Amino acid sequence: RLWYEWRYLDQIRPLIHGPMLVKGILTAEDALLCIEHGAQGIIVSNHGGRSLDYGPATLEVLPEIVDAVKGRVPVLVDSGFRRGADVFKALALGATAVCLGRATRWGLAAFGVPGAQRVIEMIQAELVAAMAAAGRPSLADVNRSAVTVRFP
């Protein structure tokens, strides 16, 4: 028997003095259960592919989760974002924000805090370039019409 069940969110919610976000969501059904159990945000994540090597990519499942949530809570996404164009795709598919983990840790490991800062600056510049290439002058102009998605 697993130690974690949906009622676990109900049990820990009173102990959290801020927004409760749930990470590791890969289905619309689970996103809706998160909301039902008091989550104020969802992080679409496959944990960098380290938990299941056959799980879906987060960009694959992001649109259906965004559609199911219908703006009730922010939908963040992580797992595999290395370039500004990756961030552009996630924002176009409806992510509220993109979490950068490994890429910034590489910068931190190589050059300390300035290295992590530089990685963020590079990804931001790449995002601006991707937006310009797609004819999207502002974040408000980034939407699903900016990308073609044909996941199996």
Side-chain angles (χ1 to χ4, degrees):
R1 182 180 152 141
L2 298 173
W3 68 269
Y4 54 90
E5 298 175 352
W6 288 107
R7 66 188 170 124
Y8 178 67
L9 294 179
D10 301 329
Q11 294 168 345
I12 66 168
R13 183 65 193 116
L15 306 173
I16 299 172
H17 303 291
M20 180 173 72
L21 283 73
V22 179
K23 180 177 177 180
I25 302 305
L26 293 171
T27 67
E29 295 79 16
D30 283 351
L32 294 175
L33 282 166
C34 287
I35 294 170
E36 181 182 318
H37 288 275
Q40 284 93 18
I42 293 166
I43 303 175
V44 178
S45 176
N46 64 16
H47 307 293
R50 291 183 310 277
S51 58
L52 294 172
D53 61 357
Y54 50 83
T58 54
L59 284 179
E60 259 182 296
V61 297
L62 180 61
E64 73 181 54
I65 292 170
V66 167
D67 290 347
V69 167
K70 297 180 183 170
R72 287 176 280 185
V73 298
V75 177
L76 291 74
V77 65
D78 74 8
S79 302
F81 294 90
R82 306 287 185 265
R83 301 175 310 199
D86 299 331
V87 173
F88 178 82
K89 291 175 219 174
L91 295 174
L93 294 175
T96 307
V98 177
C99 303
L100 303 172
R102 205 170 299 169
T104 54
R105 285 194 304 252
W106 289 336
L108 182 66
F111 300 105
V113 173
Q117 178 66 36
R118 182 66 184 125
V119 168
I120 293 168
E121 291 167 359
M122 291 167 59
I123 292 173
Q124 182 180 14
E126 292 168 357
L127 171 60
V128 169
M131 290 170 55
R136 309 297 165 132
S138 73
L139 289 175
D141 298 315
V142 178
N143 56 46
R144 287 190 192 174
S145 69
V147 294
T148 301
V149 181
R150 294 194 185 142
F151 296 118

